[in-house]
Amino acid sequence: MTRINPITAACLVCFIAISATYAQPKSIPQKVDALIKKMTLAEKIGQLNQYNGDWAATGPVTTDVGNKLDAIKRGEVGSILNIVGVQHTRVFQEAAMKSRLKIPLLFGQDVIHGYSVTFPIPLAEAASWDLDAIKKSARIAATEAAAGGVHWTFAPMVDIARDPRWGRVMEGAGEDPYLGSLIATARVKGFQGNGLGNLDAVMACAKHFTAYGAAIGGRDYNSVDMSLRTLWEFYLPPFKAALDAGVGTFMNSFNDLNGTPASASHYLQRDILKNKWGFKGFVVSDWGSIGEMINHGYVKNNYEAAEAAINAGNDMDMESRSYINNLAKLVAAKKVSIATIDEAVKRILTKKYELGLFDDPYRFSDAEREKRVLNTPETIAAARDAARKSIVLLKNNNKVLPLSKNDKSIALIGPMVKLKKENKGFWALDVGDENQVVSLYEGVQQHTGNAKLLYAQGCDVTDTTRTGFNEAYKTAMQADVVVMAMGERFDMTGEAKSRSNIHLPGVQEELIKAIVATGKPVVVLLYAGRPMVFDWTADHAPAILYTWWLGNQAGNAIADVLFGSYNPGAKLPITFPRTEGQIPIYYNHYNTGRPAHADNDVNYTSAYIDLLNSPKFAFGHGLSYTTFKYDNLKLSKKSMLKNGNIRVSFDLQNIGDYAGEEVAQLYLRDVVSQPVRPVKELKDFKKLMLQPGEKKTITFTITKDKLAFYNDKLDWITQPGEFNLMIGSASDDIRLQNNFNLDN
Ligand code: NOJ
């Protein structure tokens, strides 16, 4: 055995001690651990606390904390939401740099569909089924937001929504978990770019976890009562997709799910998200949702609310002040462990390190970059393209559209024609100026050439005065063609904007009747943040474009479509009901024991005796100026083994006169299954452009994951047996069908 001389041994001990003191931690986990060791309990709790900035509140501000800058200097705040702009955010960051440990603040903001250049509302973008365009729009929003001092966006909202009364349908991707998951992935990747730490990336947030979209009666903030199988099958997949795409944070939701408010749900936040799925980021509450558990009747006071939330895995408290006021007491009372606090703090600090804020807390505060990046010609062109891609051609009788170049006069009628900044839609930021928004009138003006442009407002959106009808009628009579811009106001959807009556509001449908009665060709544009009910218009107006709220380039994009310089190719991402009484209505439902065999079959079937069974417009519906032919379906084999696959191919041909894009959709049905499966589920799609006459072969591959589902025990399984395969242009327009088997 080698003997170490005592002096050498003493030096060695000294050396180890000195290097332990001065060794710089290298990895982020090491840095986080080192920092946490220096933090007092109060400083740790501060990191879990998020306040609203001083500019815009997106919820009720509960208590006044006095001067927020002082609270920041005392280390009581980890994050601020609702402040934008290099100048504004810098003021807050400077305060953080005066705190003892100089831990930088995280600036969060609802950057939902654009920052300065506003893109279409998310539901509209979802109608494009164009994942590259959706990713690009998030990329541009992130680049602009990051240049404006924002680190973190509270987006994407990935809530599945089957109820158009719910005002927040406008914020998501509609009703389908497959499409919703792909869009969630595209948005997360768009926002986070090449990863946190890049100067053009903002951290994304998958919200609202979870089932918020299933609020009973479509009334915002309402309870959700749902089987766990439905939760796993339909509502969780987009969240899982966001997680797999690397989303940095999750936001929980206002609702209770089966009796437990989401903010206190151990099952959602710990069992599923952090344990089963291994999520490494952090969970922020929704605005005040921790404190609101008192109203839910779940806890007595904020003290109990804080205890329930932190123990359930809610890391950051947005604006309820439950954590800042109670966590220290809860730790002293041993109701919350230091380990639980440390875990939450670590998750938050890790993100601050990943964003590079410890290297330079002002790295997102460069005034010159802010000026250079906002509203470039490229981003404006991208917004126009995204807007055109979002417009759905619902109907086009007698090929009224595109408008003829020979029209000598065009009448623009309706309350939306001259709107400017309203085109941005709900959840748009007050960044940039109104002149950057193109109204319909301005857009059409650019396209009309020598044609005369006539205008009458006709009526208001909600007001029932008919005094403008006469002038509108006279204007229509002087025109070769009439374009009517109708709909619901932009702020009739969004948070806390549920409607029990989703009809086209006011006297608008009466005005449409009066103008259609002139016998002139009429095109109706419908501006909305949700599916509306407009039965008469749907049946009698020759042409309808659903334009949603399209953002800064709305006027140009609509004009592109009206005049045929762009051929619409969007498809509905959500079912349009005939009346409110049909809600919830969605395409991927079960068959029941007494399905109706025809639209008007009420002979002891599952039907309404006063309404047809079908929706007004089905999921996946959307026309084009051209016509597509589906043909020549081939399956590589008629049965597959569990780990095998079947290749499905078919020909798609453009047999019309215009170049155009089609979204070819693949649906599957598991014919016999226990538990039962939906009549149809979207499992793949392909969007492609074809020139007139052009034909392309499309191939889809069926693999096990397209056939699997959750059984009653919530196991993800496949069952052998027969499957129907349907390919078509919409969920109710299936052109090709065949069957195949999954063998054991
Ligand atoms: C409440 C909303 O539900 C949420 O989506 C949003 O991010 C926060 N307020 C912050 O504005």
Side-chain angles (χ1 to χ4, degrees), residues 265-319:
S265 175
H266 195 284
Y267 175 64
L268 294 176
Q269 297 172 111
R270 289 215 188 269
D271 296 353
I272 299 180
L273 184 59
K274 292 182 174 174
N275 296 339
K276 191 174 169 70
W277 290 354
F279 175 59
K280 297 281 179 287
F282 70 86
V283 179
V284 62
S285 77
D286 203 344
W287 180 295
S289 67
I290 298 178
E292 287 170 15
M293 292 197 289
I294 304 168
N295 292 340
H296 277 280
Y298 191 76
V299 290
K300 247 195 323 248
N301 48 35
N302 283 89
Y303 176 84
E304 289 185 3
E307 177 190 356
I310 190 104
N311 285 335
N314 179 131
D315 302 301
M316 185 180 276
D317 174 1
M318 180 191 287
E319 266 295 338

Side-chain angles (χ1 to χ4, degrees), residues 206-366:
K207 72 186 189 185
H208 306 83
F209 200 60
T210 195
Y212 181 42
I216 294 171
R219 210 183 68 214
D220 208 1
Y221 314 126
N222 205 2
S223 297
V224 174
D225 192 33
M226 155 183 308
S227 78
L228 290 185
R229 206 163 71 79
T230 297
L231 177 76
W232 279 87
E233 190 86 35
F234 297 99
Y235 287 81
L236 289 182
F239 286 98
K240 180 63 167 47
L243 180 125
D244 291 342
V247 74
T249 61
F250 269 61
M251 183 187 291
N252 58 35
S253 52
F254 288 122
N255 57 287
D256 73 87
L257 174 62
N258 303 334
T260 303
S263 308
S265 175
H266 195 284
Y267 175 64
L268 294 176
Q269 297 172 111
R270 289 215 188 269
D271 296 353
I272 299 180
L273 184 59
K274 292 182 174 174
N275 296 339
K276 191 174 169 70
W277 290 354
F279 175 59
K280 297 281 179 287
F282 70 86
V283 179
V284 62
S285 77
D286 203 344
W287 180 295
S289 67
I290 298 178
E292 287 170 15
M293 292 197 289
I294 304 168
N295 292 340
H296 277 280
Y298 191 76
V299 290
K300 247 195 323 248
N301 48 35
N302 283 89
Y303 176 84
E304 289 185 3
E307 177 190 356
I310 190 104
N311 285 335
N314 179 131
D315 302 301
M316 185 180 276
D317 174 1
M318 180 191 287
E319 266 295 338
S320 93
R321 295 143 207 236
S322 305
Y323 280 9
I324 193 78
N325 294 333
N326 296 288
L327 282 183
K329 288 180 247 166
L330 284 160
V331 170
K334 300 211 172 349
K335 296 202 172 218
V336 171
S337 71
I338 275 288
T340 301
I341 304 270
D342 281 359
E343 184 223 314
V345 177
K346 272 186 196 174
R347 286 173 180 270
I348 293 163
L349 291 179
T350 301
K351 292 300 163 197
K352 292 187 176 183
Y353 272 109
E354 285 175 9
L355 283 159
L357 296 174
F358 281 96
D359 300 327
D360 176 6
Y362 303 108
R363 61 198 301 262
F364 294 91
S365 312
D366 173 348

Side-chain angles (χ1 to χ4, degrees), residues 21 36 58 83 87 108 115 128 189 251 265 336 363 367 451 463 487 490-491 569 580 591 625 652 710 721:
T21 313
I36 273 213
T58 46
I83 46 166
Q87 229 189 329
Y115 178 76
S128 74
K189 294 204 161 152
M251 183 187 291
S265 175
V336 171
R363 61 198 301 262
D463 193 298
F490 85 95
D491 59 358
E580 293 84 359
N591 204 32
Y625 296 155
L652 184 71
Y710 289 98

Side-chain angles (χ1 to χ4, degrees), residues 57-77:
T58 46
V61 178
T62 37
T63 345
D64 187 10
V65 282
N67 187 333
K68 280 180 197 141
L69 293 179
D70 288 343
I72 294 167
K73 286 180 204 157
R74 291 194 298 270
E76 289 168 11
V77 188

